[in-house]
Each structure stands twice: as C-alpha cells, then as structure tokens.
Amino acid sequence: MTMLRLDKYLTDMGVGTRSEVKVKIRKGQVTVNQCVVKKPDSKVSGLDVITVEGQTVGYVDFEYYMLNKPQGVVSATVDDSNQTVVDLVREKKRKDLFPVGRLDKDTEGLLLITNDGTLSHRLLSPKRHVGKCYFVVAAGVLSERAVTQLEEGVNIGTREQEEWTNTAKCQMLARLSREEFYHEDNVLCDARVREIVRACAMGQECDTESFSVLKLTIIEGKYHQVKRMLQAVGSQVLYLKRLSMGTLVLDDALQEGEYRHLTNEEIASLTKE
Ligand code: URA
C-alpha cells in the first residue's frame, strides 16, 4: 500500500488546503491510530485510522460518479462564470475529479466524473473506438441517403480542409411533422424535450416544419461532432443527450443534475473496454 504524507492525505480528502491542514496537524487536532501526530510530513497509508477534530477521515484513491448532466452547466473542473459538472457532485471526497470528455453546455446526459486518469485515457483514446450513443432531435426530415452518409462518414471540415468522420451507427426512431412532434401522445420526446426544442427552434430562427428523432453512435469524439455531422447532411441538432459511453449506460432514475456512484460491476466493465 502506498505511503503518503499526512498533510497530502488530508488535502486529497478535501479537509482543507495544504496550509490549513498543516495548521490543524501542528495544533494537535489530527490523530493517526489514536495517537496525536504533529508532523505534517509523517507517512501514512489508507490502512491507518486518521481523525481530524474527532472525525474519522477515510481515504479513497479513486472516485467514479455517473452524472446526468443538465443543460447550462459546463464540462470543466473550474470556470469563472458558469457552474461546472464537478461542482454538481457535492459529496465528493477527492479534489482532483474531472469529467471524462466533454459535453457542450447545451448537451445533456451521461458524463463520467472521476479522478482515474488511466481509465479516462482508455475511454477517450481514438485507437480504442469506444462507442458513445446520443439521442438526437434534428431539424427536417433526414432521408435514407443522409442516414447512410452519417453511417459511412461525412466531411465535417471544409472543402479546403476536409475532416471525415469514422463509421457510425444511426438508428432512425421517427420522422415527424410539427403536429406529430408536439402531440402529447408522442412518447419519443417528453414535454420537457419538446419545450427545449421549441425554444431552440425559435431562438436559432430554425423554423422547421418537421423533425427527425434518432440515435447516433459514434466511436470518436471530435469537437461538436454530432452537431457538425448533422450539419453536414443539411440538418441541425435541436436537442442532444448522451445515453451511453462504452458499457456505461445512463441510469433512467437520474433526473437532470443528479448523480450516483458507479457500481463495482460498472467500473469493472469499463476498465475492460
Ligand atoms: N457532439 C456534439 O456536437 N456535442 C456534444 O456535446 C457531444 C457530441
């Protein structure tokens, strides 16, 4: 078991900044295995029982959270003007959590938040082709040809500087007229999604008379990839939600902004990706 400095242990566990923690240690507020320890550089391990002002502070190496990211929150660790996805995870112990990959500010859905850099690297490595499945509401009626194009790869760059996407899977769920899309019996989109689409369609002067609802699974993660893919086939994304990443599937029970720990099975399965 790795040994680490007492002040680092306590800082990692969010007890305070390194200097705040040092003050607590020097004041005799910290015990290790029931003995007061006043040296911040004393070596401890996760097996030691450590308390600060009488409260036990357990050590966790890695934390893994599944977040249902809401719109309006940025996929970053810190941001001057916006709430971040890491801010949403209130119970975290570790201070070094980060989101695995990015979702746009207006994208919802599955986001893995962890401090496991090795796992993150594996999931994001372009060589591993980890699938990410998105639920998409797009403007207009996508033709069969457009679906084939999305599956075979489209140029999301420019004519001068082409950028082709890898193969993808596209499952067309419905092509709907405005009346059909906004009809309350339409089970594909709940009332909230319809509201978002309505606002988005008006705000962007996208006066679409029809909608395509689809699931798109991509095996890479280029900047704004899904939005640019839909643009490449003459459409526009009006609503985007990530449903899965590799074996990790968004838990239906999580409302927007809610999160939970990953189960051991979910972690084990992801590390095999
Ligand atoms: N593709 C996008 O365009 N946006 C996202 O947030 C994720 C994938």
Side-chain angles (χ1 to χ4, degrees):
M1 166 133 293
T2 343
M3 303 294 284
L4 72 169
R5 287 171 57 120
L6 180 57
D7 54 355
K8 173 153 171 47
Y9 177 113
L10 295 175
T11 310
D12 282 354
M13 290 306 97
V15 170
T17 61
R18 196 74 167 240
S19 47
E20 286 166 352
V21 157
K22 280 183 178 169
V23 171
K24 285 184 194 289
I25 297 171
R26 291 199 178 108
K27 277 189 177 167
Q29 294 172 345
V30 177
T31 66
V32 178
N33 303 326
Q34 299 182 336
C35 299
V36 172
V37 173
K38 290 195 171 183
K39 284 192 176 163
D41 63 353
S42 308
K43 291 288 188 292
V44 292
S45 84
L47 296 177
D48 292 313
V49 178
I50 298 181
T51 68
V52 178
E53 292 163 333
Q55 299 290 316
T56 306
V57 180
Y59 194 81
V60 282
D61 272 329
F62 294 116
E63 287 189 283
Y64 304 89
Y65 294 96
M66 173 191 292
L67 170 73
N68 183 0
K69 178 191 171 300
Q71 290 197 329
V73 174
V74 294
S75 297
T77 50
V78 279
D79 190 278
D80 287 342
S81 43
N82 296 285
Q83 193 176 33
T84 73
V85 288
V86 174
D87 295 334
L88 293 178
V89 183
R90 287 173 305 279
E91 286 153 40
K92 57 185 173 280
K93 291 199 162 224
R94 306 263 339 178
K95 285 197 154 176
D96 50 357
L97 296 182
F98 58 87
V100 176
R102 281 169 183 271
L103 292 179
D104 297 335
K105 194 171 171 184
D106 59 357
T107 301
E108 299 184 0
L110 177 69
L111 199 56
L112 172 61
I113 313 267
T114 183
N115 60 327
D116 186 341
T118 311
L119 176 64
S120 169
H121 189 261
R122 287 168 66 99
L123 290 174
L124 299 178
S125 162
K127 289 190 202 128
R128 291 195 183 257
H129 291 174
V130 172
K132 283 152 288 234
C133 177
Y134 293 87
F135 175 82
V136 187
V137 179
V141 168
L142 284 187
S143 63
E144 277 311 306
R145 181 169 151 65
V147 170
T148 308
Q149 285 175 326
L150 289 172
E151 291 198 316
E152 289 180 350
V154 285
N155 177 16
I156 58 172
T158 59
R159 237 181 241 168
E160 296 73 41
Q161 210 170 346
E162 296 186 355
E163 187 179 1
W164 287 84
T165 57
N166 211 321
T167 50
K169 269 201 196 109
C170 181
Q171 184 192 358
M172 201 65 186
L173 299 177
R175 297 173 170 94
L176 302 166
S177 67
R178 177 175 281 271
E179 290 69 35
E180 287 166 327
F181 182 80
Y182 286 113
H183 198 282
E184 60 189 26
D185 290 345
N186 170 11
V187 290
L188 276 172
C189 300
D190 59 26
R192 203 182 59 83
V193 171
R194 283 197 287 266
E195 257 333 289
I196 291 170
V197 169
R198 199 192 300 272
C200 169
M202 286 185 332
Q204 298 180 1
E205 291 171 12
C206 162
D207 203 7
T208 184
E209 283 305 316
S210 49
F211 299 89
S212 296
V213 184
L214 55 138
K215 280 187 186 171
L216 185 63
T217 305
I218 57 176
I219 54 170
E220 52 198 339
K222 297 180 192 296
Y223 183 63
H224 292 331
Q225 180 160 342
V226 174
K227 291 175 182 166
R228 289 159 73 204
M229 286 175 77
L230 270 296
Q231 258 170 20
V233 294
S235 177
Q236 180 188 348
V237 168
L238 301 175
Y239 174 81
L240 188 58
K241 176 176 186 173
R242 183 153 67 192
L243 303 176
S244 67
M245 181 180 204
T247 54
L248 191 64
V249 179
L250 181 64
D251 188 333
D252 284 346
L254 292 176
Q255 301 297 309
E256 296 86 53
E258 290 185 346
Y259 61 90
R260 67 156 169 82
H261 285 284
L262 257 58
T263 63
N264 290 339
E265 291 73 31
E266 285 169 335
I267 298 169
S269 162
L270 271 184
T271 49
K272 285 191 209 119
E273 282 284 350

